[in-house]
Amino acid sequence: MKVLIISTNTLPASPSGPAYIAGAVLSAGHAVEVFECLFAQDLACELKAHVVRFNPDVIGISIRLVHGYLIDGNAEFNTNHVDVRIRVREVVDCIKQVSKAHIILGGPGFNYYGRDWLDYLDLDYGIRGEADFSFPLYLKKLEDGGDITTVPGSIFLREGRVFEVPRELVDNLDATAFPAYELFDLDKYYEHNISPAILTKRGCAFRCTYCPYNSLEGSRYRLKSPERVVDEIEHVEKVKKPKMFMFCDNNFNVPKKHAEGICKEIVNRKLTLHWGTGDLRPAGITNDFCKLLRDSGCVYANLSIESGSNQMLKRMGRGYTVAHIEKALECLGELNIPFGASLMIGAPGETPHTVAESVALLDHYNIPLGTWVTIGICLWTHLQQVLDDAHSSGQYRNDAELFQGVNYMSPDLPKDYMIELINSLKEKKGYMVQVNKPYAEFR
């Protein structure tokens, strides 16, 4: 079968999800092409032309986000909201005008909102969960005339009702397909400083109150072997060597031995490469670990601090303390690892005092690549614990609001204080501020 994979991303990011799906479909013996919306100058015209030329039997639409945010110094509170749904609907409308191909929805932005997306786009089928396993299975059933409604993770419309099939998790990640970055125009990504991303594991054992991640991938870690991870790196280098690879895991250094194994495998193969991670957990970082990062080619790490207050770290369920953060900052600085830090302001229990603790902590250290501050907590799904606080404070009524885009802000942060804080952080050297919600509003 001929399969077109569409990345509907509107924000600059690696097409890692579509690349892994495309690789799985290729490995299953299908003809595959990809279309990246991010670089389209005339989306409707370019997409229609691609669909007409390729004439696919099946079109898989990867949805990374439902809502996003872009830093804009000219915007109110420094941030523009991006409703990704509009772009996705434009994509679907274009396809319907020129093709009778089966349209299948998927991606992380689809997982929590399957029913909403089917209704919003007037479609009848999508796949939640690990589609590098389930999408090829769907294609086989479709090709053989089998029952596609039995595919794990599928969600479908039948006689006006929506049905969901439980997802299945892939245990042996070493047996999954390599990401098919060869189908993407990597030069365009490199021109926009977008690095190819590689996944080293799935699962998350932590239960942070604002994050539903382990509900998506499970709380049990499923690890790729270090050898397999580095094989993927070498695979991408054969396509087009990047300036830097990104490990797109949640908490790259957990489990720590796994991260160490990947670094040692890079060193043992004597590879000359640069890599980075957007999520380094503060706990367990030592000089020896940082030396291993440096020796294996780490040129960027974001230390996911989120708060410099022990009170808030406990409330957020982060599982580490300020002492862990201080140790991590010292080690990264001593070993000259280029790193940045991230803060999250506004979770339940946040007060001007806890915010001051966080800012004072970071002001005490040199953060070479600066600090990214997110103000306001995104409410993604009913599986987030923070929804209880959002509901009780009047900032959230029911799950129907989630698909529309809603955020939470601690009601203990007054409006005047928050406006002054946002303005002061914007002026601080090395700080970037993303404002999802500037202050709490009450209905």
Side-chain angles (χ1 to χ4, degrees):
M1 301 181 74
K2 294 181 3 178
V3 181
L4 177 63
I5 306 294
I6 299 178
S7 172
T8 60
N9 195 22
T10 56
L11 304 176
S14 169
S16 56
Y20 278 105
I21 299 303
V25 177
L26 272 177
S27 295
H30 302 281
V32 185
E33 290 191 4
V34 300
F35 182 88
E36 173 61 86
C37 295
L38 183 62
F39 305 123
Q41 299 298 309
D42 184 337
L43 177 60
C45 182
E46 294 174 35
L47 178 57
K48 288 179 182 179
H50 195 132
V51 171
V52 169
R53 175 189 59 76
F54 185 46
N55 191 26
D57 303 295
V58 175
I59 298 176
I61 299 178
S62 177
I63 303 171
R64 181 171 174 264
L65 297 169
V66 180
H67 299 274
Y69 299 88
L70 286 172
I71 299 297
D72 182 353
N74 296 318
E76 184 180 22
F77 300 120
N78 208 56
T79 309
N80 278 326
H81 170 251
V82 180
D83 188 343
V84 181
R85 300 174 303 169
I86 297 171
R87 171 64 65 91
V88 177
R89 183 157 56 185
E90 183 180 2
V91 167
V92 171
D93 289 345
C94 286
I95 294 170
K96 289 180 177 179
Q97 292 171 24
V98 297
S99 175
K100 297 296 184 181
H102 298 272
I103 301 175
I104 311 303
L105 302 174
F110 178 74
N111 275 276
Y112 299 121
Y113 306 101
R115 293 169 178 257
D116 298 283
W117 277 115
L118 293 181
D119 180 64
Y120 183 78
L121 299 174
D122 192 23
L123 293 174
D124 60 8
Y125 195 90
I127 295 176
R128 301 159 298 121
E130 301 180 2
D132 49 358
F133 158 70
S134 51
F135 191 34
L137 179 58
Y138 162 85
L139 295 172
K140 179 171 177 52
K141 287 184 178 292
L142 184 67
E143 196 170 34
D144 295 344
D147 185 0
I148 61 172
T149 65
T150 62
V151 173
S154 61
I155 177 169
F156 57 92
L157 186 67
R158 176 179 286 176
E159 298 178 352
R161 294 177 58 197
V162 176
F163 297 87
E164 299 182 10
V165 179
R167 299 170 298 170
E168 288 187 13
L169 303 179
V170 179
D171 279 322
N172 184 7
L173 297 186
D174 281 7
T176 59
F178 281 25
Y181 280 112
E182 64 270 22
L183 299 180
F184 294 79
D185 186 351
L186 293 183
D187 283 330
K188 284 188 177 180
Y189 294 96
Y190 298 168
E191 289 170 9
H192 290 78
N193 293 318
I194 300 174
S195 301
I198 289 175
L199 187 74
T200 78
K201 64 177 179 289
R202 292 175 185 167
C204 180
F206 301 103
R207 295 185 178 275
C208 301
T209 59
Y210 57 86
C211 179
Y213 194 81
N214 64 7
S215 69
L216 177 63
E217 294 193 353
S219 57
R220 176 176 57 87
Y221 287 111
R222 292 164 288 138
L223 310 174
K224 287 180 183 174
S225 67
E227 294 79 13
R228 164 56 193 261
V229 172
V230 182
D231 284 346
E232 287 190 25
I233 290 174
E234 293 187 319
H235 171 74
V236 178
E237 285 193 318
K238 291 176 183 177
V239 178
K240 184 78 174 183
K241 187 177 178 68
K243 294 180 181 178
M244 180 174 68
F245 288 92
M246 286 295 293
F247 292 125
C248 56
D249 302 321
N250 184 39
N251 294 317
F252 169 70
N253 55 322
V254 180
K256 185 177 177 181
K257 287 185 177 180
H258 183 244
E260 291 174 335
I262 293 169
C263 295
K264 290 176 181 176
E265 184 66 18
I266 294 172
V267 172
N268 291 340
R269 295 196 195 185
K270 300 180 180 179
L271 300 184
T272 303
L273 59 87
H274 293 154
W275 64 268
T277 171
D279 191 357
L280 199 63
R281 188 174 177 82
I285 294 180
T286 63
N287 282 345
D288 287 343
F289 180 71
C290 289
K291 184 178 186 302
L292 191 54
L293 297 182
R294 185 191 64 191
D295 292 347
S296 60
C298 180
V299 295
Y300 168 73
N302 178 70
L303 190 65
S304 299
I305 292 173
E306 313 310 8
S307 178
S309 162
N310 278 323
Q311 175 186 331
M312 286 304 301
L313 291 172
K314 185 175 182 180
R315 285 287 300 265
M316 296 163 77
R318 291 296 287 168
Y320 54 80
T321 67
V322 171
H324 291 113
I325 296 172
E326 292 173 334
K327 175 67 173 178
L329 290 168
E330 290 166 2
C331 292
L332 289 166
E334 289 175 10
L335 273 294
N336 296 316
I337 304 291
F339 76 96
S342 60
L343 281 181
M344 181 181 294
I345 293 177
E350 191 88 86
T351 66
H353 176 72
T354 61
V355 173
E357 286 183 291
S358 296
V359 175
L361 172 67
L362 290 185
D363 282 350
H364 187 69
Y365 293 89
N366 176 40
I367 313 292
L369 301 182
T371 300
W372 187 280
V373 182
T374 302
I375 294 179
I377 310 300
C378 293
L379 305 182
W380 305 337
T381 163
H382 67 282
L383 297 172
Q384 290 168 277
Q385 294 181 40
V386 70
L387 258 66
D388 292 337
D389 295 271
H391 187 271
S392 63
S393 66
Q395 299 178 59
Y396 159 81
R397 288 177 294 185
N398 54 59
D399 290 351
E401 291 187 322
L402 298 177
F403 190 62
Q404 308 301 320
V406 62
N407 297 279
Y408 169 86
M409 173 61 68
S410 168
D412 295 320
L413 297 172
K415 176 179 178 179
D416 291 345
Y417 164 80
M418 287 304 302
I419 293 176
E420 182 179 345
L421 173 69
I422 292 167
N423 290 331
S424 66
L425 290 177
K426 284 170 56 180
E427 299 301 320
K428 287 178 72 70
K429 184 178 180 180
Y431 276 70
M432 291 292 292
V433 184
Q434 174 182 311
V435 183
N436 300 340
K437 186 177 180 68
Y439 45 83
E441 296 174 316
F442 300 93
R443 294 186 175 88

PDB file of all heavy atoms in Angstrom, residues 12-34:
ATOM      1  N   PRO A  12       8.539  24.912  15.870  1.00  0.00           N
ATOM      2  CA  PRO A  12       9.815  24.311  15.471  1.00  0.00           C
ATOM      3  C   PRO A  12      10.236  23.175  16.388  1.00  0.00           C
ATOM      4  O   PRO A  12      10.588  23.389  17.546  1.00  0.00           O
ATOM      5  CB  PRO A  12      10.794  25.496  15.552  1.00  0.00           C
ATOM      6  CG  PRO A  12      10.155  26.483  16.484  1.00  0.00           C
ATOM      7  CD  PRO A  12       8.688  26.328  16.288  1.00  0.00           C
ATOM      8  N   ALA A  13      10.185  21.950  15.873  1.00  0.00           N
ATOM      9  CA  ALA A  13      10.554  20.767  16.652  1.00  0.00           C
ATOM     10  C   ALA A  13      10.882  19.634  15.701  1.00  0.00           C
ATOM     11  O   ALA A  13      10.431  19.603  14.558  1.00  0.00           O
ATOM     12  CB  ALA A  13       9.419  20.359  17.589  1.00  0.00           C
ATOM     13  N   SER A  14      11.670  18.701  16.187  1.00  0.00           N
ATOM     14  CA  SER A  14      12.040  17.534  15.387  1.00  0.00           C
ATOM     15  C   SER A  14      10.804  16.701  15.045  1.00  0.00           C
ATOM     16  O   SER A  14       9.903  16.535  15.873  1.00  0.00           O
ATOM     17  CB  SER A  14      13.033  16.666  16.163  1.00  0.00           C
ATOM     18  OG  SER A  14      13.211  15.414  15.529  1.00  0.00           O
ATOM     19  N   PRO A  15      10.761  16.132  13.847  1.00  0.00           N
ATOM     20  CA  PRO A  15       9.638  15.262  13.466  1.00  0.00           C
ATOM     21  C   PRO A  15       9.863  13.827  13.926  1.00  0.00           C
ATOM     22  O   PRO A  15       9.666  12.869  13.165  1.00  0.00           O
ATOM     23  CB  PRO A  15       9.645  15.368  11.940  1.00  0.00           C
ATOM     24  CG  PRO A  15      11.099  15.481  11.599  1.00  0.00           C
ATOM     25  CD  PRO A  15      11.713  16.320  12.717  1.00  0.00           C
ATOM     26  N   SER A  16      10.297  13.658  15.163  1.00  0.00           N
ATOM     27  CA  SER A  16      10.687  12.329  15.636  1.00  0.00           C
ATOM     28  C   SER A  16       9.530  11.340  15.586  1.00  0.00           C
ATOM     29  O   SER A  16       9.704  10.189  15.155  1.00  0.00           O
ATOM     30  CB  SER A  16      11.252  12.414  17.058  1.00  0.00           C
ATOM     31  OG  SER A  16      10.319  13.020  17.941  1.00  0.00           O
ATOM     32  N   GLY A  17       8.334  11.749  16.032  1.00  0.00           N
ATOM     33  CA  GLY A  17       7.192  10.848  16.006  1.00  0.00           C
ATOM     34  C   GLY A  17       6.874  10.354  14.610  1.00  0.00           C
ATOM     35  O   GLY A  17       6.822   9.137  14.364  1.00  0.00           O
ATOM     36  N   PRO A  18       6.642  11.273  13.650  1.00  0.00           N
ATOM     37  CA  PRO A  18       6.399  10.833  12.273  1.00  0.00           C
ATOM     38  C   PRO A  18       7.543  10.006  11.702  1.00  0.00           C
ATOM     39  O   PRO A  18       7.314   9.086  10.917  1.00  0.00           O
ATOM     40  CB  PRO A  18       6.238  12.160  11.513  1.00  0.00           C
ATOM     41  CG  PRO A  18       5.751  13.127  12.537  1.00  0.00           C
ATOM     42  CD  PRO A  18       6.433  12.721  13.811  1.00  0.00           C
ATOM     43  N   ALA A  19       8.792  10.304  12.096  1.00  0.00           N
ATOM     44  CA  ALA A  19       9.935   9.545  11.575  1.00  0.00           C
ATOM     45  C   ALA A  19       9.895   8.098  12.053  1.00  0.00           C
ATOM     46  O   ALA A  19      10.163   7.163  11.276  1.00  0.00           O
ATOM     47  CB  ALA A  19      11.247  10.208  12.000  1.00  0.00           C
ATOM     48  N   TYR A  20       9.564   7.881  13.334  1.00  0.00           N
ATOM     49  CA  TYR A  20       9.481   6.515  13.840  1.00  0.00           C
ATOM     50  C   TYR A  20       8.302   5.764  13.213  1.00  0.00           C
ATOM     51  O   TYR A  20       8.410   4.573  12.893  1.00  0.00           O
ATOM     52  CB  TYR A  20       9.353   6.517  15.362  1.00  0.00           C
ATOM     53  CG  TYR A  20      10.679   6.658  16.082  1.00  0.00           C
ATOM     54  CD1 TYR A  20      11.053   7.852  16.684  1.00  0.00           C
ATOM     55  CD2 TYR A  20      11.561   5.587  16.152  1.00  0.00           C
ATOM     56  CE1 TYR A  20      12.273   7.982  17.345  1.00  0.00           C
ATOM     57  CE2 TYR A  20      12.779   5.701  16.809  1.00  0.00           C
ATOM     58  CZ  TYR A  20      13.136   6.902  17.399  1.00  0.00           C
ATOM     59  OH  TYR A  20      14.348   7.021  18.047  1.00  0.00           O
ATOM     60  N   ILE A  21       7.174   6.440  13.024  1.00  0.00           N
ATOM     61  CA  ILE A  21       6.020   5.794  12.397  1.00  0.00           C
ATOM     62  C   ILE A  21       6.338   5.441  10.955  1.00  0.00           C
ATOM     63  O   ILE A  21       6.028   4.336  10.476  1.00  0.00           O
ATOM     64  CB  ILE A  21       4.783   6.705  12.472  1.00  0.00           C
ATOM     65  CG1 ILE A  21       4.413   7.002  13.930  1.00  0.00           C
ATOM     66  CG2 ILE A  21       3.606   6.064  11.742  1.00  0.00           C
ATOM     67  CD1 ILE A  21       4.163   5.784  14.761  1.00  0.00           C
ATOM     68  N   ALA A  22       6.953   6.378  10.239  1.00  0.00           N
ATOM     69  CA  ALA A  22       7.317   6.125   8.843  1.00  0.00           C
ATOM     70  C   ALA A  22       8.267   4.943   8.743  1.00  0.00           C
ATOM     71  O   ALA A  22       8.162   4.109   7.833  1.00  0.00           O
ATOM     72  CB  ALA A  22       7.932   7.372   8.226  1.00  0.00           C
ATOM     73  N   GLY A  23       9.201   4.843   9.686  1.00  0.00           N
ATOM     74  CA  GLY A  23      10.125   3.718   9.693  1.00  0.00           C
ATOM     75  C   GLY A  23       9.409   2.396   9.894  1.00  0.00           C
ATOM     76  O   GLY A  23       9.729   1.383   9.245  1.00  0.00           O
ATOM     77  N   ALA A  24       8.420   2.392  10.779  1.00  0.00           N
ATOM     78  CA  ALA A  24       7.664   1.167  11.035  1.00  0.00           C
ATOM     79  C   ALA A  24       6.868   0.742   9.807  1.00  0.00           C
ATOM     80  O   ALA A  24       6.784  -0.452   9.489  1.00  0.00           O
ATOM     81  CB  ALA A  24       6.725   1.382  12.225  1.00  0.00           C
ATOM     82  N   VAL A  25       6.289   1.707   9.116  1.00  0.00           N
ATOM     83  CA  VAL A  25       5.489   1.398   7.925  1.00  0.00           C
ATOM     84  C   VAL A  25       6.390   0.915   6.792  1.00  0.00           C
ATOM     85  O   VAL A  25       6.048  -0.011   6.055  1.00  0.00           O
ATOM     86  CB  VAL A  25       4.664   2.631   7.512  1.00  0.00           C
ATOM     87  CG1 VAL A  25       3.886   2.351   6.224  1.00  0.00           C
ATOM     88  CG2 VAL A  25       3.697   3.026   8.628  1.00  0.00           C
ATOM     89  N   LEU A  26       7.556   1.539   6.663  1.00  0.00           N
ATOM     90  CA  LEU A  26       8.531   1.075   5.667  1.00  0.00           C
ATOM     91  C   LEU A  26       8.941  -0.365   5.940  1.00  0.00           C
ATOM     92  O   LEU A  26       9.006  -1.200   5.027  1.00  0.00           O
ATOM     93  CB  LEU A  26       9.771   1.974   5.690  1.00  0.00           C
ATOM     94  CG  LEU A  26       9.797   3.228   4.825  1.00  0.00           C
ATOM     95  CD1 LEU A  26      11.088   3.989   5.074  1.00  0.00           C
ATOM     96  CD2 LEU A  26       9.671   2.883   3.342  1.00  0.00           C
ATOM     97  N   SER A  27       9.232  -0.660   7.199  1.00  0.00           N
ATOM     98  CA  SER A  27       9.666  -2.009   7.565  1.00  0.00           C
ATOM     99  C   SER A  27       8.591  -3.046   7.293  1.00  0.00           C
ATOM    100  O   SER A  27       8.888  -4.229   7.088  1.00  0.00           O
ATOM    101  CB  SER A  27      10.066  -2.051   9.041  1.00  0.00           C
ATOM    102  OG  SER A  27      11.193  -1.245   9.287  1.00  0.00           O
ATOM    103  N   ALA A  28       7.337  -2.606   7.289  1.00  0.00           N
ATOM    104  CA  ALA A  28       6.225  -3.523   7.016  1.00  0.00           C
ATOM    105  C   ALA A  28       6.027  -3.744   5.523  1.00  0.00           C
ATOM    106  O   ALA A  28       5.112  -4.478   5.128  1.00  0.00           O
ATOM    107  CB  ALA A  28       4.948  -2.990   7.652  1.00  0.00           C
ATOM    108  N   GLY A  29       6.851  -3.086   4.694  1.00  0.00           N
ATOM    109  CA  GLY A  29       6.822  -3.341   3.261  1.00  0.00           C
ATOM    110  C   GLY A  29       5.982  -2.407   2.431  1.00  0.00           C
ATOM    111  O   GLY A  29       5.719  -2.683   1.248  1.00  0.00           O
ATOM    112  N   HIS A  30       5.575  -1.279   2.998  1.00  0.00           N
ATOM    113  CA  HIS A  30       4.735  -0.342   2.268  1.00  0.00           C
ATOM    114  C   HIS A  30       5.576   0.779   1.644  1.00  0.00           C
ATOM    115  O   HIS A  30       6.692   1.051   2.090  1.00  0.00           O
ATOM    116  CB  HIS A  30       3.684   0.258   3.192  1.00  0.00           C
ATOM    117  CG  HIS A  30       2.798  -0.758   3.833  1.00  0.00           C
ATOM    118  ND1 HIS A  30       1.734  -1.348   3.186  1.00  0.00           N
ATOM    119  CD2 HIS A  30       2.837  -1.319   5.073  1.00  0.00           C
ATOM    120  CE1 HIS A  30       1.148  -2.209   3.995  1.00  0.00           C
ATOM    121  NE2 HIS A  30       1.795  -2.214   5.159  1.00  0.00           N
ATOM    122  N   ALA A  31       5.019   1.420   0.621  1.00  0.00           N
ATOM    123  CA  ALA A  31       5.639   2.603   0.032  1.00  0.00           C
ATOM    124  C   ALA A  31       5.239   3.813   0.877  1.00  0.00           C
ATOM    125  O   ALA A  31       4.052   4.023   1.147  1.00  0.00           O
ATOM    126  CB  ALA A  31       5.173   2.788  -1.412  1.00  0.00           C
ATOM    127  N   VAL A  32       6.219   4.599   1.302  1.00  0.00           N
ATOM    128  CA  VAL A  32       5.953   5.676   2.260  1.00  0.00           C
ATOM    129  C   VAL A  32       6.542   6.992   1.766  1.00  0.00           C
ATOM    130  O   VAL A  32       7.673   7.038   1.263  1.00  0.00           O
ATOM    131  CB  VAL A  32       6.543   5.353   3.652  1.00  0.00           C
ATOM    132  CG1 VAL A  32       6.154   6.434   4.656  1.00  0.00           C
ATOM    133  CG2 VAL A  32       6.097   3.990   4.132  1.00  0.00           C
ATOM    134  N   GLU A  33       5.776   8.066   1.910  1.00  0.00           N
ATOM    135  CA  GLU A  33       6.285   9.420   1.739  1.00  0.00           C
ATOM    136  C   GLU A  33       5.822  10.242   2.936  1.00  0.00           C
ATOM    137  O   GLU A  33       4.889   9.842   3.663  1.00  0.00           O
ATOM    138  CB  GLU A  33       5.795  10.052   0.429  1.00  0.00           C
ATOM    139  CG  GLU A  33       6.409   9.432  -0.817  1.00  0.00           C
ATOM    140  CD  GLU A  33       6.127  10.228  -2.080  1.00  0.00           C
ATOM    141  OE1 GLU A  33       5.511  11.323  -1.990  1.00  0.00           O
ATOM    142  OE2 GLU A  33       6.521   9.760  -3.167  1.00  0.00           O
ATOM    143  N   VAL A  34       6.480  11.386   3.152  1.00  0.00           N
ATOM    144  CA  VAL A  34       6.117  12.262   4.268  1.00  0.00           C
ATOM    145  C   VAL A  34       5.868  13.667   3.749  1.00  0.00           C
ATOM    146  O   VAL A  34       6.398  14.076   2.709  1.00  0.00           O
ATOM    147  CB  VAL A  34       7.217  12.285   5.356  1.00  0.00           C
ATOM    148  CG1 VAL A  34       7.449  10.901   5.924  1.00  0.00           C
ATOM    149  CG2 VAL A  34       8.507  12.869   4.802  1.00  0.00           C
TER     150      VAL A  34
END
